[in-house]
Amino acid sequence: MKRLTALLAAVAAAGVIAVGCSSGSNDSNEPVPRVKTVSVDDIARLNGGQMPPTSYYYDTDRVREIEGKVSSTPVNNKDDALTVIRELADIIGCDDPQGELRYSETNPCDGGFNYVFEQYYRDVPVRRGSVSIAADEDGNTTRLYNSYIENVNIATEPKISADDAVKLAKRKYSCDTRDEPELIIIETGRNSIYLTWDAKLDRSNYPDEAFIDAQSGTVLVEDGPVED
């Protein structure tokens, strides 16, 4: 927690700062309102003076989940949820929630709702990158779940076309593909991030999905069976 605590202390010293000020998915040209970032100390105070149950990613101080109140901001809709995510930007590890996270869905959760935002990098979806905020029926936040993928810094212009990806998949697996391949970013290990074509294979056995490096044409990961 040393790196996280030092970072949050620096933020607290700076007071109220702008978080997520790019236009992102915001249709308005008006500046995004400033929010005050929330520290772990703030979260502890919201939960009676003790940090609620918190889990971290393996061998890191990176927060994965906090089961408790994470903000005093009432959450009654997706816009409120995004405001809370912006408050938690330092804890999440996202410099620009407004620009990098897009609303995906709202699901019922323990009498309230869970608001899910998917991660994008330069308009390309990041597989399994997301942040969600849960709130009870009164709008009190009850959980943060963070699977935002840090340190995405790659070219997003593919050298291999979608048609070429289909040809590679057909040749390698001796089958057709289902639908057009989707250009996505995947993480295959710590700091191993790639731009890929997600090719869904028209076959009943494993694999029925292949992630093809959009720069080299190499199959990086196989998956399946896919549940449509």
Side-chain angles (χ1 to χ4, degrees):
M1 286 291 293
K2 290 182 179 179
R3 177 172 67 87
L4 178 61
T5 302
L7 175 60
L8 293 173
V11 170
V16 179
I17 65 170
V19 177
C21 290
S22 73
S23 59
S25 58
N26 183 17
D27 294 331
S28 173
N29 291 322
E30 296 179 1
V32 177
R34 289 171 173 257
V35 299
K36 183 176 181 179
T37 53
V38 175
S39 71
V40 290
D41 289 339
D42 295 327
I43 292 174
R45 281 192 290 271
L46 288 170
N47 291 272
Q50 292 187 336
M51 192 67 182
T54 303
S55 61
Y56 301 86
Y57 283 90
Y58 177 74
D59 199 27
T60 72
D61 61 3
R62 179 163 144 67
V63 171
R64 178 175 187 144
E65 186 172 11
I66 300 176
E67 288 280 357
K69 194 167 186 177
V70 295
S71 171
S72 59
T73 298
V75 174
N76 296 299
N77 53 53
K78 63 183 178 64
D79 294 328
D80 294 341
L82 182 57
T83 296
V84 170
I85 290 172
R86 292 172 58 215
E87 292 174 356
L88 298 167
D90 292 313
I91 291 174
I92 292 167
C94 177
D95 292 333
D96 182 16
Q98 190 81 16
E100 295 185 59
L101 298 171
R102 298 183 185 178
Y103 171 73
S104 174
E105 60 185 353
T106 299
N107 300 307
C109 178
D110 298 329
F113 295 97
N114 188 49
Y115 302 88
V116 182
F117 294 78
E118 302 289 346
Q119 181 179 353
Y120 283 75
Y121 177 75
R122 296 180 180 174
D123 292 327
V124 179
V126 180
R127 185 176 187 245
R128 294 178 179 166
S130 68
V131 179
S132 66
I133 293 291
D136 63 22
E137 60 184 357
D138 296 319
N140 300 304
T141 55
T142 58
R143 188 187 73 143
L144 160 71
Y145 183 77
N146 173 37
S147 62
Y148 174 84
I149 295 173
E150 296 181 301
N151 304 319
V152 179
N153 184 22
I154 60 173
T156 53
E157 286 295 327
K159 294 180 181 178
I160 304 297
S161 69
D163 287 342
D164 288 338
V166 168
K167 292 175 184 177
L168 286 164
K170 287 182 176 180
R171 184 167 62 250
K172 180 175 177 63
Y173 299 101
S174 301
C175 68
D176 289 329
T177 57
R178 298 176 286 125
D179 305 322
E180 288 295 314
E182 181 184 9
L183 189 66
I184 66 172
I185 293 168
I186 67 170
E187 182 181 45
T188 61
R190 189 177 296 181
N191 298 320
S192 297
I193 298 171
Y194 299 92
L195 182 72
T196 68
W197 289 107
D198 178 6
K200 292 180 172 59
L201 310 174
D202 190 14
R203 65 206 307 255
S204 58
N205 56 321
Y206 181 94
D208 62 9
E209 188 174 17
F211 297 89
I212 300 169
D213 190 323
Q215 309 300 358
S216 68
T218 302
V219 175
L220 296 171
V221 180
E222 296 175 331
D223 203 356
V226 174
E227 295 182 2
D228 292 329

